[in-house]
Amino acid sequence: TIAPWTTANPIFMHLVSKEDSEVMDAVDQCKATGYEAVILSFGSHCNMEDTSAINVTKWKKLADYAHRNGIFIGSYSLFSSRHISDEDDVIDPVTGKPGGAFFGYAPCYGSRWGLAYLDKLKYFIHQTGFDLFENDGPYPGDVCASTAHPGHKGLDDSQWRQMELQKSLYHWCNENGVYVNAPDWYFMD
């Protein structure tokens, strides 16, 4: 009743791929062994932030291949634990500088980069037909002292606004039939 997704999880395989042929091989293996889905894991050659026509077309073809074989497909996307730019990273309220996020450096979801990231993921998923999404961060929702980011006013609303942005992506995924592999408390929200 409280957590209905616990009975709806697909049986999925994490794949670290470097070439398209490895994705097709994994789809074939999933079909042969009863797995339901492939998630392109951390370190794979799938970049969902690349919304160029060439990249989207390539991944649409691979998604179509998976779907023809009755397999769901999706990808991992790293949000936290990376430095984007001084303008787009969370600003430490103590130092007034980038860094100091929960896992060191992290972009702010309310920054221009963060808002564009959200739009790029939706576009990529929609255009390719991906069925799964695995996100890494922001955990647990970093605070940001920037007053220049368009997605929040300042420190006091930064954590809340970033979590709302992340949840809006998860709600969008749910509304569009995309399975989200993320910690339970995001679903509880």
Side-chain angles (χ1 to χ4, degrees):
T1 300
I2 295 173
W5 61 89
T6 59
T7 60
N9 288 338
I11 300 169
F12 57 82
M13 160 196 232
H14 271 101
L15 172 68
V16 178
S17 64
K18 301 294 180 204
E19 298 180 23
D20 296 354
S21 61
E22 293 172 319
V23 177
M24 293 188 298
D25 289 345
V27 166
D28 295 343
Q29 290 172 8
C30 285
K31 182 178 179 180
T33 59
Y35 277 68
E36 298 168 290
V38 174
I39 295 179
L40 295 143
S41 197
F42 179 77
S44 290
H45 74 300
C46 182
N47 178 3
M48 294 178 23
E49 295 172 45
D50 178 355
T51 57
S52 67
I54 291 171
N55 193 52
V56 169
T57 299
K58 172 177 83 165
W59 288 105
K60 169 107 177 77
K61 287 179 183 174
L62 288 167
D64 289 347
Y65 180 79
H67 296 151
R68 281 194 305 274
N69 284 282
I71 303 298
F72 298 122
I73 189 169
S75 186
Y76 166 98
S77 179
L78 177 66
F79 183 92
S80 291
S81 306
R82 64 177 174 157
H83 174 65
I84 301 301
S85 71
D86 288 354
E87 295 78 29
D88 294 303
D89 283 4
V90 296
I91 302 300
D92 187 315
V94 175
T95 67
K97 298 180 181 189
F102 196 77
F103 290 108
Y105 281 96
C108 176
Y109 229 138
S111 70
R112 281 179 179 72
W113 180 92
L115 297 173
Y117 171 84
L118 181 67
D119 290 340
K120 286 178 180 181
L121 291 181
K122 288 179 181 178
Y123 179 83
F124 183 93
I125 292 168
H126 177 73
Q127 294 297 316
T128 60
F130 271 26
D131 314 287
L132 294 100
F133 175 61
E134 182 171 88
N135 204 194
D136 195 350
Y139 300 130
D142 288 310
V143 296
C144 178
S146 173
T147 56
H149 293 165
H152 66 91
K153 295 176 186 170
L155 177 63
D156 291 342
D157 72 334
S158 65
Q159 186 179 42
W160 176 260
R161 290 296 304 136
Q162 288 186 78
M163 290 177 69
E164 288 295 301
L165 288 164
Q166 184 172 18
K167 288 188 294 184
S168 76
L169 174 60
Y170 293 170
H171 289 185
W172 179 89
C173 286
N174 185 275
E175 291 163 0
N176 287 278
V178 177
Y179 174 79
V180 176
N181 189 33
D184 291 345
W185 65 278
Y186 283 107
F187 289 97
M188 299 296 276
D189 277 347

